[in-house]
Amino acid sequence: ILEIIVAEKKHEVALRKEQTPVRTLESNHLFSKPCLSFADALTDRGKHGIIAEFKRKSPSLGWINQDANISEVTKGYAQNGASAISILTDEKFFGGSLNDLSAARGNGVPVLRKDFMIDEYQVVEAKSAGADIILLIAACLTPPEVKKLALLARNLGMSVLLELHTESELDHVCDAITAVGINNRNLKTFEVDVENSIRLAEQLGEHLRVAESGLRDVTTIQLLRQHEFSGFLMGEYFMKQTDPALALKQFIDALEN
């Protein structure tokens, strides 16, 4: 599945380059706006490190919440205690768009562009659409590619979340990234194993740690905190509910109690 997505992404990026040159992206008013700090958001002791995700569908589940209103949900996420908001911008496989990213801005919390980033053009595109953070997936990139894309993002003022899944990807970690995300979902098989975060965390250095996928209960979050995780990316759990923002509030209330 990952190979199919990346092949489609290469084709998509080539078309976008033809349609919208870099100079046009750089002229967007959002391009010059300062970014909110991802590190500050994750270490804010007044919050709980929840990165609430807006995701309409996925290759493994199909449609999750096709009719969700991006502005209402993301505003509710911010008001109900999210430390950051993740936006799926891939259209074909996840039903998202860059317009979703722009619509999620202005709520006082950092916004992550979650996509399959393979080209410097996408980094500029993310800044132009209002992203504070970009996601880089080690399974899609070589270590030099991660470093190149991360340095560009940092030079543009954005933070970088590097996603790992296996021990063999630890060599992708570099000084230009802000945090290391450990994906419990194998992107090649889509199987989920929460213990994966703990196993890999033991081999990380001083980087901020973010657990991704398969997070559905308070007990799991508490366990991961014991292993020095600062962030917890949750999407499907909230988006499956009728009111995703209310589901976030109820989850945080449970954490506090």
Side-chain angles (χ1 to χ4, degrees):
I1 296 174
L2 181 61
E3 291 175 358
I4 293 171
I5 291 175
V6 171
E8 177 66 26
K9 192 61 57 177
K10 289 178 180 179
H11 177 66
E12 175 189 312
V13 171
L15 289 177
R16 293 174 85 92
K17 284 181 177 180
E18 292 181 3
Q19 295 167 351
T20 310
V22 167
R23 63 179 179 274
T24 301
L25 296 175
E26 293 174 340
S27 67
N28 190 302
H29 72 284
L30 291 175
F31 188 83
S32 59
K33 289 201 171 185
C35 295
L36 298 175
S37 169
F38 188 36
D40 288 349
L42 292 180
T43 56
D44 183 349
R45 294 190 176 183
K47 293 192 175 182
H48 298 275
I50 303 296
I51 305 165
E53 187 161 88
F54 185 89
K55 176 163 63 175
R56 292 188 178 90
K57 70 175 183 177
S58 76
S60 58
L61 294 178
W63 287 106
I64 300 168
N65 195 329
Q66 186 172 359
D67 300 321
N69 182 289
I70 178 70
S71 297
E72 291 178 3
V73 172
T74 55
K75 181 179 180 180
Y77 276 163
Q79 291 176 339
N80 290 338
S83 294
I85 297 172
S86 171
I87 305 294
L88 267 297
T89 59
D90 175 84
E91 181 174 358
K92 182 170 183 177
F93 299 97
F94 290 89
S97 73
L98 284 168
N99 289 334
D100 286 343
L101 184 66
S102 299
R105 277 192 58 87
N107 288 311
V109 298
V111 177
L112 164 71
R113 180 186 184 183
K114 190 175 182 185
D115 208 320
F116 298 83
M117 310 288 279
I118 56 171
D119 193 286
E120 289 177 297
Y121 179 85
Q122 293 168 286
V123 179
V124 178
E125 194 177 50
K127 185 69 166 70
S128 179
D132 301 292
I133 316 156
I134 63 164
L135 176 74
L136 298 179
I137 303 173
C140 300
L141 302 163
T142 64
E145 287 171 338
V146 166
K147 187 174 183 179
K148 179 179 69 173
L149 296 176
L151 284 172
L152 174 58
R154 294 300 291 267
N155 287 339
L156 292 175
M158 292 185 287
S159 302
V160 180
L161 174 62
L162 173 65
E163 177 180 299
L164 310 179
H165 177 71
T166 66
E167 183 177 349
S168 64
E169 295 168 347
L170 287 168
D171 61 352
H172 288 66
V173 177
C174 64
D175 292 338
I177 67 170
T178 309
V180 177
I182 302 179
N183 194 348
N184 300 305
R185 176 176 287 111
N186 186 321
L187 291 181
K188 295 179 180 178
T189 66
F190 278 79
E191 294 177 355
V192 174
D193 175 14
V194 174
E195 292 293 327
N196 190 56
S197 288
I198 295 172
R199 288 194 296 269
L200 272 186
E202 296 172 353
Q203 302 179 63
L204 293 175
E206 298 297 318
H207 288 95
L208 290 169
R209 301 173 183 180
V210 175
E212 305 175 18
S213 300
L215 307 179
R216 300 183 180 89
D217 59 79
V218 169
T219 303
T220 301
I221 301 299
Q222 292 170 335
L223 174 64
L224 290 167
R225 280 179 174 169
Q226 292 173 12
H227 292 272
E228 300 183 3
F229 278 83
S230 302
F232 312 94
L233 197 154
M234 301 176 63
E236 290 175 10
Y237 179 83
F238 300 138
M239 292 299 294
K240 285 180 178 178
Q241 313 302 318
T242 303
D243 187 337
L246 178 60
L248 168 65
K249 181 180 185 303
Q250 292 171 339
F251 191 87
I252 288 179
D253 286 346
L255 276 173
E256 293 178 343
N257 294 328

